[in-house]
Amino acid sequence: MIAPVKILVSVVIICLAPFFVFAQQFKYTAELDSVVAAGFYTIPVSPSFSAYIKTDLADILIADKNNRWVPHILQAGKTALTADLFSAFPVLQNTITDSGKNLLVIENTKEEGIYNFALFLKNSAVSRMAKLSGSNNQQEWFIIDDNIAISRSYEMKEDEYLQEINFPLTKYRYLKIIVDNRSNDPLRITRAGFFGKPYKQITNYQENPVPAFFQKDSNNYSYIEVRQSNNYQFDKIFLKIGGAKFYEREVQLLIPVLGKGPISARRGKLIGNFKLLSASPAVFELPRTKAPLFFIVIKNGDNPPLKIENVLTQQQTFSLVAYLEQGNKYRLLMTDSLASFADYDLQSFKDSITSLQPLSYKNIQAIKKDTINNTDPGKNRWVWPTIILAAIVLCFFTYRLTTDMNQSK
């Protein structure tokens, strides 16, 4: 008796699957340009495009003229680095202190001295402050720089980033860097070394349209309200600072919560903690965020407020890569809060894709209801009754299966 019930349950599940698969409801679409020849194409995710999708970029699909999904992979823009110019330094100590600080000691093998070195970090979108000291015997240490800003910098691999640290020329045999994590989890430093020549070749960020901003100074704080012209995504912020010549201020970036009242009362979700230093550029990296409105809060203490003269946001460059056929018509589908990453076989062959042609898309437009999954209104009326009926049947046979199993025991 159990075997027939199992078969019926499987049949019901198979019948239900298409309804749940096609339950995705995308809200926007954009027509792709004509495909002049079969091959692999790259479709850029522009700032205007990013305003319609989630920050994980999971709710993008490519569909052909028959509404069939076209496999694609997501490709991040990378900074070209010349690996053969890199010399690794021996790491003598790489630990976490009792106070939660990163402690790294390396040996400088460049007798002629160095003026910078590179740290390789596991995927981290954070900002930290660090101190650098030098020694010739690992007993006596002398400060080199006590205000080093660390943040995610150039991408080497999918989960490893390079942070370049610059300082005056030094010939110390040993270098010690202490990273202050405060109450946060420590960084994971994997290796350190030196690039003998300039290695940065391209940038992997694109700039969003310039936002409008308004500054209000109150109670030893400065509140900067930043409004973007659309719901653009961003993971890097630039500030142009005026006013004081020397400063060191704590900064918070917040996404406001819904509600009324003064700016200080509407502060909401904390996105990042940073530090403004007069000796360092005011450039902050943060987890990819999507918000038309956000606040920058500067703690001035007893100091006069700084003057924010300009605010810019950037987002890391991404593109879709897909194999498209000549003569077929394709379009992009986007904006589905329930969408997740599709599991395409193409991901296993991404390293074999060598030739890519750029392909653009036309204006993004709203999709009329039910034009993607089912164009027959008469059929749509039966979708939910069918699902409910199938669920009842499934529950019934599940009950029968449980009863038969108990009886057999």
Side-chain angles (χ1 to χ4, degrees), residues 50-64:
S50 72
Y52 292 91
I53 56 180
K54 300 191 295 183
T55 54
D56 61 3
L57 312 184
D59 56 336
I60 311 175
L61 284 177
I62 303 176
D64 63 13

Side-chain angles (χ1 to χ4, degrees), residues 63-75:
D64 63 13
K65 59 185 179 182
N66 296 318
N67 287 334
R68 292 175 300 192
W69 304 156
V70 177
H72 75 271
I73 58 176
L74 195 64
Q75 187 178 72

Side-chain angles (χ1 to χ4, degrees), residues 118-383:
L119 293 180
F120 291 84
L121 313 173
K122 280 297 182 181
N123 198 348
S124 303
V126 297
S127 294
R128 298 283 191 272
M129 298 305 299
K131 296 181 179 181
L132 178 66
S133 303
S135 173
N136 288 321
N137 55 17
Q138 295 192 70
Q139 300 297 323
E140 299 174 302
W141 293 94
F142 303 94
I143 193 68
I144 298 175
D145 193 337
D146 61 356
N147 275 313
I148 297 176
I150 291 182
S151 61
R152 191 181 71 183
S153 187
Y154 306 106
E155 184 179 1
M156 289 289 290
K157 297 180 180 178
E158 291 183 356
D159 65 341
E160 189 177 56
Y161 287 82
L162 178 152
Q163 172 66 57
E164 184 181 28
I165 297 177
N166 298 296
F167 45 86
L169 178 68
T170 181
K171 296 185 179 181
Y172 285 118
R173 183 176 177 183
Y174 305 102
L175 297 173
K176 176 174 67 176
I177 185 167
I178 300 177
V179 182
D180 187 2
N181 298 302
R182 302 200 175 185
S183 58
N184 302 305
D185 293 334
L187 300 175
R188 184 179 175 185
I189 304 174
T190 58
R191 53 194 173 121
F194 178 78
F195 279 94
K197 296 180 181 180
Y199 54 90
K200 300 181 285 291
Q201 298 178 10
I202 60 173
T203 180
N204 60 347
Y205 283 86
Q206 53 186 333
E207 195 166 292
N208 293 324
V210 178
F213 66 94
F214 169 77
Q215 179 174 345
K216 181 179 180 180
D217 304 314
S218 175
N219 298 326
N220 299 328
Y221 285 88
S222 293
Y223 302 95
I224 297 90
E225 179 179 326
V226 184
R227 290 185 177 273
Q228 302 195 103
S229 57
N230 204 340
N231 200 13
Y232 300 120
Q233 300 185 20
F234 56 94
D235 41 27
K236 183 180 285 190
I237 294 179
F238 293 80
L239 300 180
K240 184 178 179 181
I241 309 296
K245 185 175 181 180
F246 301 100
Y247 52 84
E248 181 178 343
R249 310 284 172 90
E250 300 289 338
V251 180
Q252 288 185 330
L253 180 69
L254 305 110
I255 304 298
V257 296
L258 296 177
K260 299 180 179 180
I263 291 178
S264 58
R266 287 184 290 162
R267 290 182 293 164
K269 182 180 178 182
L270 178 65
I271 301 299
N273 286 295
F274 311 102
K275 181 171 283 190
L276 275 176
L277 296 171
S278 54
S280 302
V283 181
F284 308 122
E285 297 196 16
L286 57 150
R288 197 172 180 94
T289 303
K290 180 180 179 181
L293 170 66
F294 61 91
F295 294 121
I296 300 171
V297 182
I298 303 175
K299 183 179 180 181
N300 297 315
D302 296 326
N303 302 291
L306 300 174
K307 176 64 176 178
I308 304 302
E309 298 178 349
N310 199 7
V311 180
L312 296 175
T313 63
Q314 288 187 344
Q315 57 178 285
Q316 187 179 7
T317 302
F318 285 93
S319 60
L320 309 178
V321 175
Y323 185 86
L324 305 179
E325 298 284 353
Q326 181 181 6
N328 204 337
K329 291 184 178 181
Y330 299 94
R331 57 177 167 171
L332 298 173
L333 304 175
M334 63 205 78
T335 315
D336 183 353
S337 60
L338 301 179
S340 58
F341 282 106
D343 185 13
Y344 294 128
D345 295 336
L346 187 61
Q347 188 69 27
S348 302
F349 302 93
K350 64 178 182 179
D351 295 333
S352 303
I353 302 173
T354 57
S355 178
L356 288 172
Q357 303 178 63
L359 191 65
S360 301
Y361 57 88
K362 299 177 183 178
N363 295 335
I364 298 175
Q365 299 179 347
I367 298 176
K368 295 182 180 180
K369 189 176 181 181
D370 299 329
T371 58
I372 293 298
N373 299 325
N374 197 337
T375 57
D376 187 349
K379 293 181 179 179
N380 286 333
R381 291 195 298 268
W382 295 98
V383 170

Side-chain angles (χ1 to χ4, degrees), residues 69-93:
W69 304 156
V70 177
H72 75 271
I73 58 176
L74 195 64
Q75 187 178 72
K78 299 180 183 297
T79 300
L81 302 176
T82 308
D84 56 357
L85 297 178
F86 176 75
S87 299
F89 288 150
V91 176
L92 306 180
Q93 188 175 356

